[in-house]
Amino acid sequence: NAGVMQNPRHLVRRRGQEARLRCSPMKGHSHVYWYRQLPEEGLKFMVYLQKENIIDESGMPKERFSAEFPKEGPSILRIQQVVRGDSAAYFCASSRDRNQPQHFGDGTRLSIL
Amino acid sequence: QKEVEQDPGPLSVPEGAIVSLNCTYSNSAFQYFMWYRQYSRKGPELLMYTYSSGNKEDGRFTAQVDKSSKYISLFIRDSQPSDSATYLCASEGYKLSFGAGTTVTVRA
């Protein structure tokens, strides 16, 4: 019974490049959440998606960041034109429905050169 | 005001001691609370999920909610070196609000 799978585990990009982070939820889970953890800080909510819909993106920066959860395939968090401040650990979580506990993946650690 | 505030730690205890972790929350409407454990370079792992007031036990772990004082606690009995991790409290809702986490070290 696989948990939440995130890939890649580590991603290195140069300033100005694009970063794509993938998340496959647990089996039977159709709700996906993305969180960002900056060094020495707590996890911060970014976006909540259900299949093909963005439910709440209030925690996501208005520019350069986008997320999707297509009918088929993993959820994608996309960061365009990355900057040094985007360096962080990005965690994905999933749940069976919005009132059920969220289960987290092991994150993607993004480093910007 | 943050929705959840957590005692920052760090905390260092000898093996076998009781670990006590505390958080306060601001929204009196909250009914569900969670404790997560996060090992270094890993994602948060759901430890305890509690509803309303009272205690919930799971092995060596006890979660306690005091709604009158808006206080949530996690106790770890007979602590082991493998309990060394960062513990995060969170309030309900899909937009989880996490405390900053308390890093616990259990010394062998």
Side-chain angles (χ1 to χ4, degrees):
Chain A
N1 186 20
V4 177
M5 304 300 290
Q6 289 189 250
N7 68 81
R9 290 295 311 277
H10 298 91
L11 183 60
V12 180
R13 286 287 177 265
R14 296 188 182 280
R15 280 177 294 172
Q17 290 184 320
E18 178 179 288
R20 280 186 181 238
L21 288 60
R22 292 177 194 78
C23 169
S24 295
M26 281 179 72
K27 189 176 179 182
H29 288 191
S30 58
H31 298 250
V32 164
Y33 317 81
W34 286 92
Y35 292 82
R36 178 163 64 176
Q37 188 172 38
L38 294 168
E40 308 303 321
E41 291 189 20
L43 285 143
K44 296 283 192 280
F45 168 84
M46 297 181 74
V47 61
Y48 162 35
L49 308 107
Q50 211 180 341
K51 281 287 185 183
E52 300 186 273
N53 291 305
I54 296 174
I55 308 299
D56 184 341
E57 56 182 350
S58 59
M60 205 146 72
K62 295 284 184 282
E63 294 177 357
R64 302 187 298 108
F65 285 72
S66 62
E68 62 177 13
F69 188 17
K71 190 176 178 183
E72 302 291 337
S75 174
I76 307 282
L77 179 67
R78 184 181 176 210
I79 310 171
Q80 295 177 288
Q81 299 175 313
V82 296
V83 300
R84 287 248 169 90
D86 297 333
S87 295
Y90 291 83
F91 291 95
C92 169
S94 73
S95 67
R96 217 170 270 284
D97 71 49
R98 63 194 286 163
N99 295 319
Q100 291 295 307
Q102 294 176 24
H103 297 264
F104 283 79
D106 281 337
T108 293
R109 276 153 185 84
L110 176 64
S111 298
I112 309 302
L113 301 179
Chain B
Q1 184 187 14
K2 290 184 182 177
E3 289 194 320
V4 177
E5 302 259 13
Q6 186 169 358
D7 291 348
L11 212 53
S12 178
V13 300
E15 185 175 355
I18 294 175
V19 176
S20 173
L21 302 165
N22 301 296
C23 290
T24 56
Y25 62 94
S26 58
N27 190 336
S28 56
F30 286 160
Q31 301 235 53
Y32 297 89
F33 303 92
M34 287 147 285
W35 284 96
Y36 286 85
R37 176 175 63 194
Q38 187 175 20
Y39 290 113
S40 180
R41 316 295 285 176
K42 293 287 213 176
E45 170 197 357
L46 182 65
L47 256 187
M48 301 283 279
Y49 177 61
T50 57
Y51 171 75
S52 197
S53 276
N55 292 358
K56 181 176 180 180
E57 245 184 71
D58 184 0
R60 297 184 294 109
F61 298 87
T62 300
Q64 198 173 72
V65 177
D66 182 345
K67 293 203 79 181
S68 60
S69 58
K70 293 190 217 159
Y71 216 72
I72 52 178
S73 303
L74 179 71
F75 301 97
I76 308 173
R77 289 186 302 282
D78 187 25
S79 56
Q80 306 293 309
S82 58
D83 295 326
S84 298
T86 298
Y87 291 81
L88 305 161
C89 57
S91 61
E92 68 178 57
Y94 65 80
K95 194 186 298 189
L96 289 184
S97 176
F98 282 96
T102 302
T103 299
V104 173
T105 302
V106 180
R107 308 185 305 272

